Amino acid sequence: MINQESMQVPLSDAGTSLHLRYIHNTEKTGPIVLLLHGAVENGKIFYTHNNKGLAPFLATHGYRCFVLDLRGRGESVPPISRGHDYGQTESIVEDVPTAVEFISNQLGERPQFWVAHSWGGVIMNSVFARFPEEIKYVDACAYFGSKRSLYNNHPEKLLKANVMWYRLAYYYTKKHGYLPAKKLRWGSDSETAKSHRQSAEWAKISPWVDSDDAFDYAYELSDKKLPPTLHIAGVNDKALAQPIDIKMFMKESGIGTQALNIYGKKYGHTHNYGHIDMLTHPNAVTEQFQDVLNWFRDHQR
């Protein structure tokens, strides 16, 4: 039987907390998994309340899953609104480390496996760069459609990135004080003006350097052996994470073991997966979800 419960993790700012969705079976003894969403999204990309999605799938195989909503997203409080001045730097230096410490304090163990969708993979590898001592606790990672800079020139990328993300989004953040992406039907959640600006700067072909303090993530990772990471791409993900984009992210993500699997009918799969349905399509359970499970089993220490 799969159980779900919500936990609120206080942050340093009074009245601000992160939401963790704890999804597990009744035994609560398996390895711990931390799951992180991408931009204009929240943790619901990994689960539904009726136990569909990657996190419940892993829970049925004994894993204890913690799905994190970054500050202001999902069920974290308060939701993003005008005046919130935090961005992805805060996600890297406080949100993810705070969630990891909370899990460690609650269960006496740190997450053994890390999973991300889209921009969440950039945040996670940035955490490894800032806090390399965390690497030794993580056996393996699985990143769905994660890239940093966009190298492809597909027409859909030119629309979604060059027009919408690099131009129109700045107009909306100036107008509203934040990016109301859900209202615009650009995604499932909002972004602060700062988180949009910082992610847009990195999504362009530019150095992987923090705009707050000039921390050079690429330099710090250049000689680091990160946990073995399985990268997942979909053949219908034309705009946001084509194989060339993912390969360039892999290239700047240390010297550890990395693999790239592409999911589509021409590779023997049942569906041509895109950026979102690589995690939400019913057939993912027997294809990429199963491959993630095997990856974790092969690399569990």
Side-chain angles (χ1 to χ4, degrees):
M1 181 178 178
I2 302 302
N3 298 308
Q4 298 192 26
E5 53 189 292
S6 286
M7 303 176 175
Q8 290 291 334
V9 184
L11 288 169
S12 57
D13 291 341
T16 302
S17 65
L18 303 172
H19 172 250
L20 279 173
R21 189 72 171 178
Y22 183 26
I23 303 173
H24 55 84
N25 63 19
T26 53
E27 296 178 1
K28 297 185 182 179
T29 57
I32 301 170
V33 184
L34 176 67
L35 300 98
L36 182 63
H37 61 84
V40 299
E41 292 288 344
N42 57 53
K44 287 289 186 66
I45 191 73
F46 295 113
Y47 71 95
T48 66
H49 288 284
N50 60 352
N51 291 324
K52 294 181 180 179
L54 178 60
F57 169 82
L58 291 173
T60 63
H61 292 275
Y63 292 83
R64 292 174 286 170
C65 298
F66 285 87
V67 183
L68 172 62
D69 285 331
L70 290 172
R71 194 177 318 199
R73 285 77 155 191
E75 295 180 48
S76 295
V77 292
I80 289 172
S81 63
R82 180 184 294 273
H84 288 162
D85 59 359
Y86 52 84
Q88 70 180 15
T89 303
E90 287 75 12
S91 297
I92 295 163
V93 302
E94 185 173 5
D95 292 8
V96 175
T98 298
V100 170
E101 287 300 322
F102 177 85
I103 294 167
S104 179
N105 292 335
Q106 291 289 312
L107 302 185
E109 303 172 58
R110 303 179 89 76
Q112 198 170 340
F113 299 100
W114 288 22
V115 175
H117 177 237
S118 194
W119 202 254
V122 179
I123 299 298
M124 283 186 157
N125 278 5
S126 298
V127 172
F128 288 138
R130 288 264 188 182
F131 307 98
E133 66 275 9
E134 198 63 42
I135 296 171
K136 65 178 179 287
Y137 296 108
V138 183
D139 287 3
C141 301
Y143 293 166
F144 287 74
S146 291
K147 81 312 170 178
R148 186 180 72 83
S149 297
L150 287 165
Y151 287 81
N152 82 80
N153 286 306
H154 191 276
E156 190 176 338
K157 175 262 181 179
L158 298 177
L159 171 64
K160 290 184 176 179
N162 295 46
V163 175
M164 295 171 64
W165 199 246
Y166 299 156
R167 295 185 182 181
L168 284 176
Y170 282 103
Y171 164 78
Y172 286 115
T173 57
K174 185 176 181 180
K175 178 180 179 180
H176 298 282
Y178 69 103
L179 181 62
K182 185 175 182 179
K183 291 181 181 178
L184 294 170
R185 297 184 179 180
W186 288 9
S188 300
D189 221 312
S190 302
E191 293 288 325
T192 65
K194 181 181 178 182
S195 62
H196 162 257
R197 174 181 57 80
Q198 289 186 312
S199 63
E201 288 171 355
W202 282 2
K204 296 176 182 179
I205 301 175
S206 60
W208 192 358
V209 174
D210 200 287
S211 62
D212 275 16
D213 61 4
F215 185 91
D216 192 328
Y217 296 93
Y219 174 79
E220 293 297 330
L221 290 179
S222 61
D223 62 350
K224 295 289 189 303
K225 187 176 182 181
L226 296 189
T229 302
L230 175 63
H231 290 267
I232 291 162
V235 296
N236 270 354
D237 192 353
K238 303 296 186 182
L240 301 177
Q242 285 201 29
I244 185 175
D245 308 316
I246 296 173
K247 288 176 181 177
M248 296 305 290
F249 179 47
M250 294 167 66
K251 188 175 180 181
E252 62 184 359
S253 293
I255 57 175
T257 300
Q258 299 187 79
L260 172 60
N261 288 0
I262 306 172
Y263 291 83
K265 292 182 178 180
K266 70 178 181 179
Y267 296 99
H269 304 108
T270 59
H271 179 70
N272 290 324
Y273 293 94
H275 195 66
I276 298 298
D277 70 1
M278 63 172 62
L279 276 165
T280 61
H281 195 280
N283 293 6
V285 170
T286 58
E287 298 184 327
Q288 51 267 44
F289 288 9
Q290 187 62 46
D291 290 344
V292 168
L293 185 64
N294 293 337
W295 183 263
F296 287 176
R297 287 172 172 171
D298 288 345
H299 294 93
Q300 183 172 340
R301 289 175 289 191

